Amino acid sequence: MSDDKQQENTWNYLNENLTQWVMESKSHSMEGNVASYIPELANAPKDILGICIMDSQGQTALSGDHDFRFTLQSISKVFTLILALMDRGEEVVFSKVGMEPTGDDFNSMLKLELVEPGIPFNPLINAGAIAISSLIAGNSPAEQTDRMLHFFRDIADNSTLDINLDVHQSESDTAHRNRSLAYFLKDNGVLDQQVDDVLEVYFSHCSVEATCTDLARMALVLAHNGVDPIRKKQIIPRRFVQIAKTFMFTCGMYNASGEFAMNVGLPAKSGVSGGILSMVPGRYGIGVVGPALNRKGNSTAGVHLLGTLSQKFDWSLF
Ligand code: GLU
């Protein structure tokens, strides 16, 4: 059978069965809880699950609550990392953050004091992402936020992508832990700007609102090493996508990244809103949302659904 025919068969099989798999995974949302430490996130319904899988022609397989709107939260950190790499280069970025998983919670400050030099272990934990926010080009938080939004809109090919101001406010009002991390970073010489200015950019990128289709579209560019296969243009240098995907593998799913690599085997990044961005390299971009989270902070139903898909289609890269 030709490659094209095989791909068509896979796509048809996926479309025929996706809703059934979503229904099966949806029951797992009852095992989790919606994040409430950012009060606005607690409004999300617990029992929803949606997915979009996009192929390189832009065809979508959609199922469940795929049009539910949620904020990117930590998923945004993948793209701010890429933007900082594009704006400042590898050397500057890796003078501010390390390359290793922590084994600690995403908002922990433990290692900032315990391990020399006092830079965050990686760009996907909160401390690392706050350091990365400070590196986005611009002379003010407003300019940096503007640059971030334009970049996100370009990758998502969606000029309407915007910040959810209620979530932004809610994050800012309750960011005691993130403020502590940022002051710690400032004291360690990691941040050049004022703490509040850096946090303003950080809250903004975490509060960008999207759907599963936006996530899948953004993931598609990463799946094709920085080239948008639909508009046929290179948006991100390949090397920076390689760096981003490596971090997604090693620390994209919080302290369950090893387990996810073993059971699903795809690069992925989750956020506390219940979103998961993943991809089948060279083929599909994937966006999932299921706001009920397990104790490690990942969507219970979303992880289950990605596990099912990976098994059915033998997607694991290992
Ligand atoms: N804005 C969230 C925070 O800073 C992001 C956390 C996450 O999604 O992991 O706590």
Side-chain angles (χ1 to χ4, degrees):
M1 201 188 319
S2 74
D3 253 18
D4 280 357
K5 188 73 202 150
Q6 205 169 346
Q7 284 204 19
E8 194 187 316
N9 285 349
T10 304
W11 189 250
N12 291 341
Y13 179 62
L14 177 66
N15 271 293
E16 281 157 20
N17 291 283
L18 192 57
T19 296
Q20 174 65 28
W21 295 327
V22 166
M23 292 312 289
E24 284 162 16
S25 293
K26 200 171 165 141
S27 58
H28 290 268
S29 60
M30 289 304 141
E31 294 156 16
N33 288 302
V34 175
S36 58
Y37 75 98
I38 299 171
E40 196 63 26
L41 296 184
N43 296 330
K46 180 175 171 165
D47 62 343
I48 66 168
L49 178 62
I51 186 165
C52 173
I53 303 174
M54 193 179 288
D55 76 3
S56 41
Q57 277 102 51
Q59 290 189 94
T60 51
L62 298 160
S63 188
D65 306 289
H66 60 86
D67 49 7
F68 178 72
R69 304 185 70 77
F70 55 97
T71 49
L72 294 177
Q73 296 301 330
S74 272
I75 297 167
S76 63
K77 297 171 181 174
V78 172
F79 298 97
T80 52
L81 166 65
I82 290 171
L83 189 54
L85 285 162
M86 287 167 70
D87 284 349
R88 309 283 180 188
E90 271 182 68
E91 203 178 322
V92 171
V93 166
F94 291 114
S95 69
K96 304 279 186 186
V97 296
M99 301 179 184
E100 306 302 336
T102 62
D104 302 326
D105 285 346
F106 67 98
N107 57 5
S108 171
M109 61 180 69
L110 207 63
K111 291 206 165 66
L112 284 180
E113 189 167 34
L114 285 181
V115 183
E116 287 289 328
I119 63 170
F121 261 46
N122 68 67
L124 298 187
I125 52 172
N126 283 14
I130 291 168
I132 292 294
S133 296
S134 78
L135 298 178
I136 294 171
N139 291 319
S140 64
E143 275 186 29
Q144 291 177 293
T145 299
D146 202 47
R147 173 148 178 74
M148 173 278 294
L149 254 184
H150 276 93
F151 183 59
F152 284 22
R153 285 174 181 163
D154 189 26
I155 299 177
D157 195 15
N158 178 356
S159 59
T160 68
L161 224 56
D162 219 335
I163 295 165
N164 178 324
L165 295 176
D166 293 334
V167 173
H168 180 285
Q169 187 63 47
S170 188
E171 287 220 46
S172 177
D173 290 346
T174 54
H176 315 301
R177 177 64 80 122
N178 285 331
R179 285 212 163 76
S180 315
L181 288 170
Y183 278 109
F184 224 108
L185 292 173
K186 181 79 184 162
D187 195 55
N188 285 4
V190 178
L191 303 182
D192 294 333
Q193 304 96 318
Q194 294 303 313
V195 160
D196 283 335
D197 286 350
V198 178
L199 285 174
E200 172 57 27
V201 181
Y202 175 81
F203 299 145
S204 296
H205 68 72
C206 288
S207 306
V208 170
E209 196 173 62
T211 62
C212 289
T213 305
D214 295 313
L215 287 198
R217 187 74 179 84
M218 294 173 98
L220 191 67
V221 175
L222 303 184
H224 287 82
N225 294 320
V227 176
D228 178 355
I230 300 171
R231 287 174 292 172
K232 302 201 184 327
K233 65 169 184 173
Q234 183 102 34
I235 300 183
I236 306 165
R238 179 177 172 7
R239 169 67 181 154
F240 300 154
V241 176
Q242 193 175 43
I243 292 172
K245 286 200 281 201
T246 308
F247 279 119
M248 291 170 83
F249 246 132
T250 55
C251 24
M253 300 297 285
Y254 305 110
N255 280 334
S257 298
E259 189 182 335
F260 188 86
M262 221 175 282
N263 294 337
V264 182
L266 297 173
K269 180 74 199 92
S270 62
V272 289
S273 52
I276 306 175
L277 174 148
S278 189
M279 76 209 68
V280 181
R283 299 183 62 186
Y284 307 128
I286 305 175
V288 178
V289 67
L293 309 178
N294 61 25
R295 289 180 61 187
K296 300 266 175 87
N298 297 313
S299 168
T300 48
V303 168
H304 187 272
L305 180 58
L306 288 170
T308 301
L309 290 167
S310 175
Q311 272 173 25
K312 299 281 179 195
F313 297 100
D314 194 19
W315 279 346
S316 173
L317 301 181
F318 299 103

